Amino acid sequence: MRRGPGRGSSTKASSVQIGFILNTGIMTTFIAVMLVVLSGGFGDDVATQEELDAVNDEMFSNIIQADALAQTEGEFTAFFEPPSSGAEYTARINNSGGMVITAPDGSIVETDLNGSTETNVSVVDGSEIEFTQNDENVVVEGNSTGILLDVQEGAVQNRSVDG
């Protein structure tokens, strides 16, 4: 038995069209995935770096204020909360006044507190600290020689209740 003249060719034409559409869709998906992989996932590194810069600016501002207070008021004790951020971070301030803020992805921001042009911040030797945004407070103690930094952990405030 012979088939009619147009019967086999229309089936073949349909499968060629379906194959073309499937291949084009698969290739488009592959190219899109490769672009995302090569670009680093829509700029997460840039967002993390911007978050760390904001944390650095806030920390630096707090330390400048503490240093100015030490120069004018003499002895004092103050507290400030570690800055909150959309990116997890660890901040380290070493004995020489260097502040390093790092994120788990390797992003980093460094600041020399003693080399500031905005103020003459003097971090007292022995005040090397490390903290994260999940710690309670950074403690700043000041006197005429500069500021001493520490991290408050597990502090409990006593309150009296009047009857």
Side-chain angles (χ1 to χ4, degrees), residues 22-32:
L22 288 174
N23 285 335
T24 304
I26 290 170
M27 185 56 78
T28 303
T29 303
F30 176 75
I31 290 171

Side-chain angles (χ1 to χ4, degrees), residues 131-152:
F131 58 92
T132 68
Q133 66 190 38
N134 301 321
D135 286 321
E136 291 185 34
N137 283 313
V138 176
V139 181
V140 183
E141 294 182 24
N143 58 37
S144 60
T145 61
I147 58 175
L148 181 66
L149 302 170
D150 200 0
V151 178
Q152 178 183 22

Side-chain angles (χ1 to χ4, degrees), residues 76-144:
F76 72 93
T77 301
F79 304 89
F80 64 88
E81 291 181 22
S84 60
S85 171
E88 290 291 320
Y89 68 85
T90 301
R92 289 183 190 88
I93 300 175
N94 61 30
N95 289 334
S96 62
M99 182 168 61
V100 179
I101 302 171
T102 57
D105 70 355
S107 299
I108 189 168
V109 174
E110 296 183 72
T111 303
D112 181 10
L113 300 173
N114 291 328
S116 166
T117 58
E118 295 156 16
T119 187
N120 188 15
V121 176
S122 51
V123 177
V124 177
D125 284 344
S127 64
E128 188 162 310
I129 64 169
E130 181 177 319
F131 58 92
T132 68
Q133 66 190 38
N134 301 321
D135 286 321
E136 291 185 34
N137 283 313
V138 176
V139 181
V140 183
E141 294 182 24
N143 58 37
S144 60

Side-chain angles (χ1 to χ4, degrees), residues 52-65:
L52 293 184
D53 286 337
V55 167
N56 182 62
D57 291 345
E58 189 172 339
M59 286 290 304
F60 191 57
S61 173
N62 288 333
I63 291 172
I64 287 173
Q65 289 174 6

